[in-house]
Amino acid sequence: MKGNSFIFNFKDKNSIIYLFSRFLIILLMIAIVDIVAGFVLKSIITEIPDGRYYKVYHTLNHNESEILIVGSSRGERHFVSTMIQDSLGLSVWNGSRDTQNLPYIYCVVFSSLARYKPKLIIMNVEKDIFSEEMNFEAASLLDPFYNNETVKKLYKEKQFAKSIFMNSNLIKFNSSYLYLLRPLVYKNQDGRKEDLGWEPLYGDFKGEKKKEDEILEYYSYDFDKESVEAFESIISELDKQNIKLLMVISPHFNSKYKNSSGLDYLKNITNEYSNIKLLDYSQDPDFVYQEEYFRDNQHLNVPGAKFFTSKVISAYKKLDF
Amino acid sequence: MLFNSIDFLIFYPIVFLIYWIFFRNDINKRNLFLLIVSYIFYGWWDWRFLFLIALSSTTDFFIGQLIYKADNPSLKKRYLTISLTISLGILFIFKYYNFFIDSFVQTFTLLGKPINYHGLKLVLPVGISFYTFQTLSYSIDIYRNKLKPTKNVIKFFTFVSFFPQLVAGPIERATHLLPQFDKKYDFNYDQIVKGLELVLIGLLKKVVIADRLATYVDAVYNNHQYHNGTTLYMATIFFAVQIYCDFSGYSDIAIGVAKTFGFDLMKNFKTPYFAVSMKDFWKRWHISLSTWFKDYFYISLGGNRCSKLRQKFNLLATFVVSGLWHGANWTFVIWGAVHGVTQIIENSLNLKSNREYSIIEKAVRMIVVFHIVCFAWIFFRADSLSQAMQIIAKIFEFRLALPYLDVVNALFFGLISLFIYMIIDYFEYRNIKIFRYMRTRKYIYASIIIIILSIGVFNEGQFIYFQF
């Protein structure tokens, strides 16, 4: 009996149930704040005029451009959407995002396909695209968009524990406030709408000028299983829907290796699928060690991006797609 | 298992409930339960290292009895030497062997006689320095007749592996913690709430302040060559707060969790950046380690009861070894030496007096001490001595320039974190109890949790002191 009173006696302060009742009151208070905050933040995300959250929101939920560009920061900085649009006469949206990898690309592609059928997808890829685990830490950019079915499905499959916490709006919008609210005060600080997703990088070269002592002929690495699975599911879906995919390896100021097991894999893909092509600019002498085209070792500046985009456009026109 | 992990979020409430519902009345069963859960907690990283902690516990349990029973001083000393050799031997092999071998090889290479020898491929067991020092204090205290050895093996094993403080302290003395395993505890609401308050503050310090500041610090220190002196100075200040909140956050959670089980662990930090002298800093920083070194190393060397020159040597040696305790790298040795040398200078100039200071003098002292501590942190944070020297050289150019603003989100939340740190530490310094009032405290709890959920970093970032 004493044991039961210790556990269940509501009136006794020194009982477990009393402690839990206090705990529940605090949880209730947090839940109310969470619901109100969620309501406000979700309203903001649908109303913000520009910036990174506008871009992701638009890319995942509304974009219906004929050409969709996906990738990481290199995809975002290197493909000038307006040039491609004007040259090919097709609507373009660059949905690439800084620091993102395959989880983000997977969500963009599948949420787009659930809504419409693009004519061409341009995917900025790297020779070591499969060397890291699917970068979910960086993909926390997708957290506020957890209600998107594709995002939800991916989280539940790959990050089940995290998907449980995504039921909290405060966690979903964790640390997003600056970039979420800034466009309401200062417009065009974090990407302009009229650039159609392209994020220009202004300024001169500020990277490491030293040339590589030795450029490897071949770099072999272990493929991350999850990355390969995500990539193959994208490829297979595009093939099923007969959507063209142009994979592009952007230039590096300081390319460390010429070929890799990842590059071999990508080349094999192009042999297997007629709707997939690969363009490799990683060793292009027009760019490598051309300081005037780079902002840092990985990213082209505005003149570099424009020159690169023009090269991609002319190469695309020559492709037998 | 990390305190800031989902695993612990599940582990802790389960252990808490089972502990209070089933084991509160029987001390032996309770201790056995705590031992089992502590081994689960530790084995979560790598179960193989459980053998190491069991070996260390077994050795000191039996040798402790032998030291106590030995009837002549030389035999006592011999047993103590065996205990120290085994405990420090394990620590040496896992933590320092490669460091000394590498240093040896490098020295010969510099002298033009290269040696082709590679170190061992060993993983450093988490918390080995902490639990080794805890068991050492047990043996030494028995040797010094300050403690009677326990005959209860379960109790001793639980004392060594008690999960709240196992991997990063506070390093408890057997005289303080061991008797607590003999006591029976009642479910005390107020005590448990106080423990949970500490857990909450600890989590706030870790995931909101330390891990937020780490984003900026890492961005700068990992590419230090691209940054100007202003940025490096700012990142160093951030690191000072980061490491304090990371470590004191861990200690707060450890002390808080132990409190919810009825145990009382020693306070490990007392607003160290309010220190008015270097000596004062060490009375406030990592108290369990600094008092350990004072009691078991500094005093063993002769302490203050010797010539002035010898005193200086003792002080310097204590801090150099303390630096080496942190990590097998010359950067830690220099970090310790900086603290040792500055204290020697302070003693020589008689700057450490305990008189009352005017507000201005106090502020000036705090600023100076804080900057000396930050200077030493550069060595602590840098990957190598050359990197540390490059950073120091840039900072001491004294060129005014804008700090690095590209990682605006990290900077923005870093500054918010800094502000939260200042509030927490100021309240503690002034002894203002924010949880004092019953009516308001539930709102404060809720607000802290909301801050943690809103701007905390949930990447289950490792605590810095785990590597030691």
Side-chain angles (χ1 to χ4, degrees):
Chain A
M1 280 308 288
K2 197 187 169 195
N4 285 344
S5 80
F6 156 71
I7 299 167
F8 297 115
N9 189 350
F10 265 107
K11 288 178 187 169
D12 183 4
K13 194 177 161 190
N14 292 320
S15 72
I16 286 184
I17 201 76
Y18 183 84
L19 179 73
F20 273 80
S21 66
R22 302 290 107 178
F23 188 66
L24 282 178
I25 290 169
I26 294 164
L27 273 187
L28 190 67
M29 287 161 67
I30 296 164
I32 291 166
V33 173
D34 193 271
I35 292 164
V36 173
F39 178 75
V40 173
L41 293 166
K42 278 175 198 163
S43 308
I44 290 172
I45 218 163
T46 56
E47 296 299 325
I48 41 172
D50 58 46
R52 64 190 63 191
Y53 285 105
Y54 161 78
K55 181 177 183 178
V56 180
Y57 177 71
H58 177 75
T59 308
L60 290 174
N61 300 308
H62 295 295
N63 170 54
E64 292 194 358
S65 61
E66 290 159 305
I67 298 176
L68 172 65
I69 302 163
V70 285
S72 61
S73 59
R74 280 156 50 77
E76 187 172 40
R77 310 290 194 181
H78 296 178
F79 295 90
V80 186
S81 311
T82 47
M83 282 176 68
I84 301 171
Q85 184 164 281
D86 295 344
S87 176
L88 300 180
L90 297 168
S91 60
V92 178
W93 176 254
N94 188 337
S96 310
R97 261 312 297 163
D98 187 17
T99 70
Q100 299 305 305
N101 202 342
L102 277 165
Y104 175 76
I105 294 173
Y106 176 93
C107 289
V108 169
V109 170
F110 278 95
S111 58
S112 300
L113 296 182
R115 200 170 53 250
Y116 80 109
K117 188 176 165 183
K119 287 186 175 165
L120 169 69
I121 292 179
I122 299 174
M123 189 189 289
N124 188 82
V125 292
E126 308 297 340
K127 287 177 196 168
D128 56 358
I129 186 170
F130 306 115
S131 65
E132 290 173 13
E133 284 184 28
M134 292 176 81
N135 196 345
F136 264 102
E137 201 175 308
S140 60
L141 177 77
L142 292 167
D143 291 355
F145 308 97
Y146 180 71
N147 289 345
N148 177 291
E149 286 306 317
T150 312
V151 177
K152 195 179 280 182
K153 183 172 167 273
L154 185 73
Y155 274 50
K156 282 187 172 169
E157 280 175 10
K158 305 290 179 190
Q159 287 211 309
F160 183 70
K162 187 173 179 178
S163 74
I164 294 169
F165 288 95
M166 286 295 108
N167 291 309
S168 158
N169 291 307
L170 291 171
I171 295 179
K172 238 190 277 186
F173 284 89
N174 175 290
S175 317
S176 64
Y177 310 110
L178 178 68
Y179 290 127
L180 193 61
L181 300 175
R182 191 172 65 173
L184 298 174
V185 185
Y186 300 106
K187 288 188 178 171
N188 301 329
Q189 290 284 308
D190 192 21
R192 301 185 314 160
K193 251 184 190 173
E194 51 269 38
D195 286 325
L196 304 174
W198 174 53
E199 187 82 18
L201 200 51
Y202 297 100
D204 298 328
F205 183 69
K206 280 192 177 172
E208 178 69 59
K209 290 182 183 178
K210 185 177 167 285
K211 292 184 180 182
E212 286 295 318
D213 295 332
E214 188 187 357
I215 295 172
L216 283 178
E217 278 299 321
Y218 195 81
Y219 169 51
S220 180
Y221 60 89
D222 294 331
F223 285 9
D224 173 63
K225 198 172 153 240
E226 287 196 337
S227 299
V228 175
E229 273 174 18
F231 188 77
E232 284 183 344
S233 61
I234 293 171
I235 300 294
S236 142
E237 190 59 31
L238 295 181
D239 182 51
K240 205 191 292 174
Q241 297 202 28
N242 199 24
I243 295 169
K244 290 191 277 188
L245 173 67
L246 178 63
M247 298 188 292
V248 184
I249 301 175
S250 299
H252 286 269
F253 178 78
N254 217 340
S255 192
K256 290 177 182 168
Y257 42 86
K258 289 181 180 171
N259 294 301
S260 72
S261 44
L263 185 58
D264 286 346
Y265 179 91
L266 295 175
K267 281 176 183 168
N268 280 338
I269 290 272
T270 59
N271 292 334
E272 271 182 52
Y273 298 92
S274 59
N275 62 322
I276 300 174
K277 302 286 178 200
L278 174 69
L279 298 174
D280 180 7
Y281 294 93
S282 60
Q283 301 286 332
D284 188 334
D286 284 347
F287 292 99
V288 178
Y289 300 120
Q290 303 299 320
E291 280 178 35
E292 67 273 25
Y293 288 139
F294 285 89
R295 180 71 169 80
D296 56 52
N297 292 62
Q298 304 293 327
H299 301 104
L300 298 168
N301 58 15
V302 172
K306 288 184 175 172
F307 180 44
F308 170 66
T309 305
S310 67
K311 286 195 81 167
V312 172
I313 292 168
S314 64
Y316 171 75
K317 284 178 177 171
K318 287 176 197 161
L319 284 173
D320 177 28
F321 239 153
Chain B
M1 206 179 291
L2 292 163
F3 283 157
N4 54 334
S5 67
I6 294 171
D7 300 337
F8 188 74
L9 194 67
I10 298 165
F11 172 85
Y12 173 58
I14 293 171
V15 170
F16 179 86
L17 285 177
I18 296 175
Y19 177 89
W20 284 113
I21 293 171
F22 299 110
F23 295 105
R24 70 186 188 285
N25 290 324
D26 188 321
I27 291 171
N28 288 327
K29 283 181 185 166
R30 180 200 67 190
N31 289 345
L32 181 62
F33 173 71
L34 283 177
L35 175 63
I36 292 167
V37 295
S38 295
Y39 271 51
I40 293 171
F41 178 87
Y42 191 74
W44 213 254
W45 276 288
D46 194 330
W47 61 269
R48 290 170 301 176
F49 291 131
L50 286 174
F51 293 108
L52 216 53
I53 197 167
L55 174 70
S56 189
S57 306
T58 310
T59 309
D60 283 294
F61 177 75
F62 288 109
I63 294 182
Q65 313 255 10
L66 293 172
I67 295 172
Y68 185 71
K69 283 176 192 162
D71 44 14
N72 70 71
S74 70
L75 192 59
K76 269 181 187 283
K77 203 169 191 173
R78 205 175 299 158
Y79 287 133
L80 179 69
T81 309
I82 295 170
S83 166
L84 296 182
T85 308
I86 294 172
S87 296
L88 292 175
I90 294 171
L91 185 65
F92 180 84
I93 290 168
F94 280 92
K95 193 165 178 175
Y96 300 106
Y97 180 79
N98 284 341
F99 167 69
F100 284 110
I101 287 292
D102 290 346
S103 300
F104 190 71
V105 169
Q106 277 168 17
T107 309
F108 272 83
T109 308
L110 280 174
L111 294 172
K113 293 191 186 282
I115 301 169
N116 191 14
Y117 183 83
H118 300 289
L120 302 172
K121 282 184 182 170
L122 291 172
V123 179
L124 181 68
V126 176
I128 189 169
S129 308
F130 288 90
Y131 70 73
T132 301
F133 269 41
Q134 192 153 306
T135 56
L136 283 180
S137 79
Y138 174 79
S139 303
I140 299 171
D141 280 351
I142 294 170
Y143 175 77
R144 288 178 176 175
N145 293 323
K146 284 184 180 173
L147 179 75
K148 277 187 179 179
T150 176
K151 289 178 180 169
N152 185 330
V153 70
I154 301 293
K155 191 175 108 179
F156 183 72
F157 270 56
T158 316
F159 155 73
V160 177
S161 63
F162 187 44
F163 79 88
Q165 46 87 240
L166 171 60
V167 286
I171 303 166
E172 281 293 336
R173 307 299 170 77
T175 46
H176 179 240
L177 184 58
L178 205 51
Q180 295 187 47
F181 289 99
D182 291 326
K183 289 182 191 163
K184 182 178 170 295
Y185 300 109
D186 290 325
F187 187 91
N188 183 317
Y189 176 81
D190 292 328
Q191 164 105 347
I192 288 166
V193 167
K194 272 185 190 160
L196 292 174
E197 282 169 0
L198 277 170
V199 172
L200 202 55
I201 289 292
L203 273 177
L204 181 74
K205 282 182 180 174
K206 170 62 181 165
V207 301
V208 172
I209 303 174
D211 289 350
R212 276 280 155 228
L213 289 169
T215 318
Y216 190 82
V217 174
D218 291 348
V220 174
Y221 263 74
N222 293 346
N223 298 287
H224 69 280
Q225 65 274 28
Y226 299 125
H227 295 291
N228 60 40
T230 312
T231 305
L232 291 164
Y233 171 76
M234 203 165 87
T236 304
I237 303 278
F238 276 20
F239 178 68
V241 178
Q242 179 204 337
I243 191 165
Y244 165 59
C245 288
D246 190 285
F247 193 21
S248 75
Y250 181 90
S251 294
D252 287 342
I253 299 171
I255 297 167
V257 168
K259 212 178 258 303
T260 62
F261 292 106
F263 290 83
D264 178 37
L265 301 182
M266 71 182 290
K267 199 168 168 59
N268 218 10
F269 292 89
K270 283 182 193 165
T271 59
Y273 296 140
F274 283 87
V276 290
S277 67
M278 292 305 287
K279 188 177 181 184
D280 188 26
F281 175 79
W282 279 100
K283 283 182 180 169
R284 296 162 174 272
W285 178 272
H286 203 175
I287 300 163
S288 64
L289 180 75
S290 56
T291 51
W292 195 101
F293 268 105
K294 187 183 145 206
D295 292 347
Y296 300 109
F297 190 80
Y298 181 70
I299 288 175
S300 300
L301 289 178
N304 291 334
R305 293 179 181 174
C306 47
S307 70
K308 292 265 179 201
L309 191 66
R310 178 66 199 229
Q311 272 181 41
K312 284 172 186 163
F313 170 79
N314 292 347
L315 196 60
L316 187 60
T318 304
F319 276 97
V320 166
V321 174
S322 155
L324 205 54
W325 176 89
H326 283 83
N329 194 324
W330 288 107
T331 51
F332 293 115
V333 175
I334 299 296
W335 172 80
V338 170
H339 278 277
V341 168
T342 48
Q343 284 208 49
I344 290 168
I345 294 169
E346 196 173 75
N347 291 346
S348 306
L349 300 176
N350 202 20
L351 292 171
K352 59 174 175 60
S353 66
N354 292 323
R355 66 184 167 81
E356 279 294 309
Y357 303 111
S358 68
I359 293 173
I360 294 172
E361 194 181 353
K362 210 173 191 175
V364 170
R365 276 176 164 268
M366 282 177 188
I367 292 167
V368 172
V369 169
F370 178 68
H371 278 83
I372 293 170
V373 171
C374 284
F375 175 78
W377 283 138
I378 295 173
F379 292 97
F380 199 95
R381 176 61 181 78
D383 296 328
S384 63
L385 283 180
S386 65
Q387 191 197 55
M389 295 316 293
Q390 284 166 24
I391 290 167
I392 289 166
K394 271 198 179 173
I395 291 174
F396 279 89
E397 281 174 1
F398 293 118
R399 273 191 209 150
L400 267 183
L402 269 178
Y404 177 53
L405 299 173
D406 282 9
V407 282
V408 63
N409 208 40
L411 189 59
F412 176 74
F413 284 109
L415 292 171
I416 291 176
S417 305
L418 210 57
F419 180 67
I420 295 171
Y421 151 72
M422 285 173 179
I423 293 173
I424 293 174
D425 247 26
Y426 182 76
F427 278 20
E428 198 183 334
Y429 183 66
R430 288 278 172 206
N431 207 17
I432 301 167
K433 309 273 185 210
I434 53 167
F435 299 122
R436 198 160 105 196
Y437 302 106
M438 291 285 281
R439 259 189 212 171
T440 53
R441 69 180 185 184
K442 59 177 171 289
Y443 300 108
I444 297 173
Y445 298 148
S447 305
I448 292 175
I449 295 171
I450 288 164
I451 290 171
I452 290 172
L453 297 179
S454 303
I455 62 172
V457 177
F458 297 111
N459 60 359
E460 300 191 0
Q462 186 87 287
F463 286 88
I464 295 173
Y465 265 69
F466 275 25
Q467 61 188 296
F468 309 139

